[in-house]
Amino acid sequence: MDPKKRSIDKAAQEMIALMAEKGQQNAWDRLDAQGAQCGFGKQGICCRICAMGPCRVTKKAPLGVCGADEDTIVARNFLRAVAAGVSAHSDHGRTVAEVFIAGAKGEAKDYKMKDTTKLFKLAEELGVKTKDRSVNEIGIDVGEIALAEFGKPVGTQLMARRAPAPRQEIWKKLGVTPRAVDREVTESLHRSTMGVDQNYKNILTHASRVALADGWGGAMLATELQDVLFGTPYPGTGEVNMGVLKKDEVNIIVHGHEPILSEMIAVASQDEELLAKAKKVGANGITVAGTCCTANELLMRHGIPIAGNFLNQELVIATGAIELMAVDVQCVMQGLAQVAKCYHTKLVTTTDKAQMPDVEHVSMDEHNALESAKGLVTMAIDNFKNRGDVYIPKEKNAAVGGFSFESINYMLGGRFRASFRPLNDNIINGRIRGIAGIVGCTNPKMPQDYTHTTLVRELIKRDVLVLTTGCATIACGKQGLTNPKIAVELAGPGLREVCEAIGIAPVLTCGSCVDNTRLLVSCSELVREGGLGDDISELPAAGACLESVSEKALAIGQYFVASGMLVVFAKETMPILGSKNVCDYLFKGIEKDLGGHWAIESDPVKAAEMIIQHIESKRDALGINKEKERKLYDMADRRALTIE
Ligand code: SF4
Ligand code: MSK
């Protein structure tokens, strides 16, 4: 297969060709080896949740053994996928909360409350007293309240109060205000087990509730607590793609999602003793680079380079330049172990809940985190001597990361009058038509990075400001789209004018998958700032992920829909097409209940058109597309004008 058909990333193309030459397999090869994939699975009409099955819906046999029809089966599968995605984000959030508390108690000495301004704000929001108390005392209380959000027996998610009041009313009326994360996930599994919830609409309504427990609960808490622990991101430059690896240095890749260990590896790589040790083995330094969302976490906060996104993880090892790859949780391909065996690379799992056969496991000790990290860096240095041939593609691009909600607010209004007002004003006056969140993975079923970057180019050309997260943001970074100098040239005249005046890029790197919650907070702020309606569903805004892979992407999509947004996915990645009723509800009916809806479109140019039409219809409804009447002021009018 032509590498150009597999990826638009030149570095990836080179590595795909090199691996083919050496007879090594990657995700694309394994996809080919799968042959035609199961049509029942694709449509979501296969059920294997009880021992009377597995059952598949066909014309001849339209019901499962228990009598379940395609609507029930598809809805149950969808709910289970969303719940699995929620559990991943939220378990990540829970781990952060535990480390947060241990840090505040002094039991995990390497973790400190770094952003105390954010800690105080969070404390106020959560009702924690701050007067005459130490930072750590406040931290313990904030951490314990956050930890309780995952399993508290009564009450609803505290973070959901950040949503505009009308949105909270909509949730209340429909009965989907999220309760404890664990409860929503458990109930999802209960409802979707054999012989329980058999009303597809009722099942899908719970999919909204469990997803909201993620977006306005577990994932939001993960982002907030990480910001306090490791610092709230502010814009800074970094580099993206395999060209960031160094031939003459020890290269370490951190891969996965939780920044708990990777933050410490970054610190350890600067340690004088370890740098001296690296020199002794003939290396000129230590390079730490990330893949997937761990990479986003590190770029956002420290400008640490990104070697690639999801589909790059195996290719990076095939450079022969990686001494050690430390992986934690989520999006870690088991195929890595095979590729690593072909090279000197030490692949190490670090989280007890995510291990791999025949792969060394070094259990991360959060109470002695820096020591654990130093141990891994030492392993990498010791492995430098075992290097064989190295080929590192030259490809890399400068990128600006670090657009947290706080930093966008600051950039728009300055330190003393931080505000979204300039953004609202420029949406209202039409220079910016609207906002799009382009997020998610890279899937070997599509040419890697193609849909994300094409969609982004189309949108900024038409004056839509783009916020990106996850592997989509890395795709954009590789193509130079998160480099303001390049992206501004591609933006439409209105967007360009605003970007140049305010000093922001047309494509804002907002972080990892859990950081999609930064987009929710930003949407709430756009509403709160005024002039763009009373609810998120009124905003000229939409989200898209045309290369999704993980169940987490479905969870994110569902919480955006349930927050009032249009969400576009590719047909190939939406396993619901086997039920007309489920499709009708998720593509249309749900809008009446929640103000948002799903749509499918695999072609990024058509998806851009769909998003722009949606944005323009929202603008029409807000009345901001009407030509403003030009008012000629007489002297009396002028005198009546007040200057604020
Ligand atoms: Fe078949 Fe019903 Fe069992 Fe599913 S729950 S496997 S449809 S019998
Ligand atoms: S890492 S969930 S492949 S974005 Fe968050 Fe990338 Fe998707 Fe994993």
Side-chain angles (χ1 to χ4, degrees):
M1 164 70 116
D2 179 2
K4 286 191 181 142
K5 293 203 171 124
R6 292 183 164 185
S7 177
I8 62 156
D9 166 12
K10 285 195 181 126
Q13 291 168 2
E14 286 181 44
M15 296 313 301
I16 290 166
L18 192 78
M19 286 183 83
E21 232 174 84
K22 292 184 176 175
Q24 294 161 3
Q25 267 201 343
N26 52 42
W28 289 277
D29 300 316
R30 292 189 296 269
L31 176 64
D32 285 351
Q34 285 287 321
Q37 289 181 317
C38 169
F40 297 99
K42 275 186 194 166
Q43 296 185 73
I45 45 173
C46 167
C47 182
R48 52 177 181 79
I49 62 174
C50 94
M52 290 190 286
C55 305
R56 316 180 294 186
V57 174
T58 61
K59 269 201 184 124
K60 251 183 165 178
L63 302 176
V65 178
C66 68
D69 60 17
E70 77 259 35
D71 299 336
T72 306
I73 292 173
V74 171
R76 278 195 308 220
N77 287 339
F78 182 74
L79 172 61
R80 285 197 164 204
V82 171
V86 173
S87 72
H89 285 151
S90 294
D91 213 29
H92 167 168
R94 187 199 316 261
T95 303
V96 177
E98 284 167 349
V99 172
F100 189 95
I101 295 168
K105 284 185 174 168
E107 291 163 3
K109 61 182 179 352
D110 301 318
Y111 299 102
K112 304 258 179 324
M113 304 290 119
K114 202 165 177 181
D115 185 344
T116 49
T117 309
K118 185 147 185 173
L119 174 68
F120 276 70
K121 270 198 184 152
L122 206 50
E124 196 186 318
E125 196 177 347
L126 297 174
V128 172
K129 286 203 183 101
T130 53
K131 198 161 175 265
D132 301 327
R133 301 185 77 201
S134 73
V135 163
N136 282 342
E137 282 170 340
I138 297 166
I140 293 169
D141 283 1
V142 166
E144 281 176 351
I145 291 174
L147 188 59
E149 289 299 281
F150 295 92
K152 63 186 182 186
V154 287
T156 51
Q157 286 295 308
L158 297 173
M159 287 291 157
R161 298 180 305 196
R162 285 184 170 183
R167 173 77 359 210
Q168 293 184 47
E169 265 313 301
I170 290 169
W171 292 339
K172 209 167 148 194
K173 227 171 110 197
L174 195 65
V176 295
T177 309
R179 298 161 296 182
V181 178
D182 295 348
R183 179 169 189 174
E184 301 304 2
V185 172
T186 303
E187 191 173 315
S188 301
L189 296 180
H190 177 201
R191 279 174 183 244
S192 57
T193 200
M194 197 275 286
V196 187
D197 202 349
Q198 292 155 39
N199 175 339
Y200 73 91
K201 251 196 215 172
N202 206 35
I203 297 169
L204 296 173
T205 301
H206 191 69
S208 293
R209 193 174 205 179
V210 70
L212 289 169
D214 185 22
W216 298 89
M220 192 172 277
L221 285 167
T223 297
E224 297 297 300
L225 299 183
Q226 283 173 184
D227 281 356
V228 175
L229 268 189
F230 306 123
T232 302
Y234 278 83
T237 50
E239 288 181 323
V240 184
N241 216 340
M242 283 182 249
V244 302
L245 302 172
K246 305 239 170 66
K247 199 168 183 177
D248 58 348
E249 294 193 8
V250 170
N251 291 304
I252 298 172
I253 294 285
V254 283
H255 175 42
H257 279 77
E258 295 170 358
I260 302 290
L261 175 65
S262 53
E263 281 277 337
M264 290 300 138
I265 291 183
V267 175
S269 69
Q270 309 287 318
D271 181 88
E272 290 299 332
E273 268 179 39
L274 291 176
L275 285 166
K277 196 173 162 56
K279 277 245 151 39
K280 260 197 193 151
V281 299
N284 279 338
I286 303 168
T287 289
V288 175
T291 48
C292 280
C293 280
T294 297
N296 284 319
E297 298 279 3
L298 291 178
L299 177 88
M300 286 283 281
R301 296 196 176 88
H302 310 293
I304 286 174
I306 295 182
N309 50 14
F310 179 68
L311 282 175
N312 289 116
Q313 58 186 284
E314 294 172 298
L315 309 184
V316 167
I317 293 182
T319 61
I322 309 302
E323 273 59 54
L324 182 127
M325 180 184 264
V327 302
D328 54 33
V329 291
Q330 302 167 25
C331 304
V332 176
M333 287 195 204
Q334 192 166 344
L336 283 177
Q338 284 307 317
V339 187
K341 269 187 200 150
C342 304
Y343 297 87
H344 75 305
T345 305
K346 264 193 187 301
L347 179 64
V348 181
T349 53
T350 59
T351 308
D352 292 347
K353 67 182 100 166
Q355 303 186 29
M356 295 161 85
D358 301 328
V359 169
E360 187 165 348
H361 180 65
V362 177
S363 185
M364 156 78 181
D365 176 10
E366 76 205 25
H367 300 103
N368 227 340
L370 190 55
E371 276 316 303
S372 293
K374 281 183 179 173
L376 290 171
V377 175
T378 306
M379 265 169 93
I381 296 170
D382 291 343
N383 196 21
F384 186 72
K385 62 176 184 298
N386 299 321
R387 261 200 197 174
D389 289 343
V390 167
Y391 177 77
I392 303 173
K394 290 201 177 58
E395 206 69 29
K396 64 177 174 180
N397 236 311
V400 174
F403 291 96
S404 56
F405 162 72
E406 289 81 355
S407 73
I408 298 173
N409 208 23
Y410 170 73
M411 292 196 75
L412 290 171
R415 182 165 176 193
F416 297 108
R417 52 185 175 86
S419 150
F420 265 46
R421 195 66 247 160
L423 183 54
N424 282 46
D425 286 344
N426 280 296
I427 294 173
I428 293 165
N429 69 27
R431 282 195 189 92
I432 296 177
R433 306 306 298 172
I435 295 186
I438 308 301
V439 310
C441 326
T442 54
N443 190 321
K445 291 179 180 174
M446 299 93 179
Q448 182 194 17
D449 303 340
Y450 168 70
T451 73
H452 293 312
T453 54
T454 308
L455 184 53
V456 166
R457 280 173 208 272
E458 289 296 316
L459 290 170
I460 61 172
K461 190 167 83 187
R462 312 264 293 268
D463 296 313
V464 175
L465 178 68
V466 170
L467 276 61
T468 65
T469 61
C471 289
T473 207
I474 302 175
C476 291
K478 286 191 274 180
Q479 302 297 322
L481 291 170
T482 53
N483 178 346
K485 280 187 196 144
I486 297 175
V488 150
E489 297 294 327
L490 304 171
L495 178 60
R496 182 181 178 144
E497 197 184 325
V498 178
C499 289
E500 286 173 343
I502 298 177
I504 57 166
V507 184
L508 302 179
T509 293
C510 298
S512 63
C513 297
V514 292
D515 291 339
N516 280 306
T517 59
R518 298 191 198 279
L519 275 51
L520 292 179
V521 174
S522 298
C523 287
S524 298
E525 187 61 17
L526 283 168
V527 172
R528 203 197 60 76
E529 190 57 51
L532 291 172
D534 297 325
D535 177 38
I536 295 173
S537 61
E538 293 180 58
L539 292 174
C545 174
L546 307 189
E547 296 184 38
S548 77
V549 168
S550 170
E551 289 159 316
K552 292 178 287 172
L554 289 174
I556 294 166
Q558 187 64 20
Y559 72 60
F560 271 107
V561 166
S563 300
M565 304 263 281
L566 162 71
V567 172
V568 188
F569 267 42
K571 188 177 170 196
E572 296 81 343
T573 61
M574 277 301 273
I576 59 166
L577 303 183
S579 159
K580 189 179 171 310
N581 282 332
V582 169
C583 288
D584 283 350
Y585 183 67
L586 290 180
F587 298 153
K588 243 189 274 151
I590 195 169
E591 194 174 6
K592 277 202 199 87
D593 291 337
L594 286 157
H597 66 99
W598 288 87
I600 48 167
E601 179 53 69
S602 308
D603 179 332
V605 178
K606 288 185 187 155
E609 195 53 51
M610 184 187 273
I611 288 171
I612 284 160
Q613 272 182 25
H614 174 80
I615 282 175
E616 291 303 329
S617 73
K618 293 289 173 184
R619 294 183 62 87
D620 286 341
L622 285 167
I624 56 176
N625 267 350
K626 280 194 205 125
E627 284 283 321
K628 291 255 165 9
E629 234 180 87
R630 235 182 115 212
K631 183 168 176 13
L632 296 173
Y633 288 91
D634 62 16
M635 204 36 91
D637 288 330
R638 279 166 205 258
R639 283 201 196 100
L641 286 174
T642 52
I643 298 169
E644 285 183 18

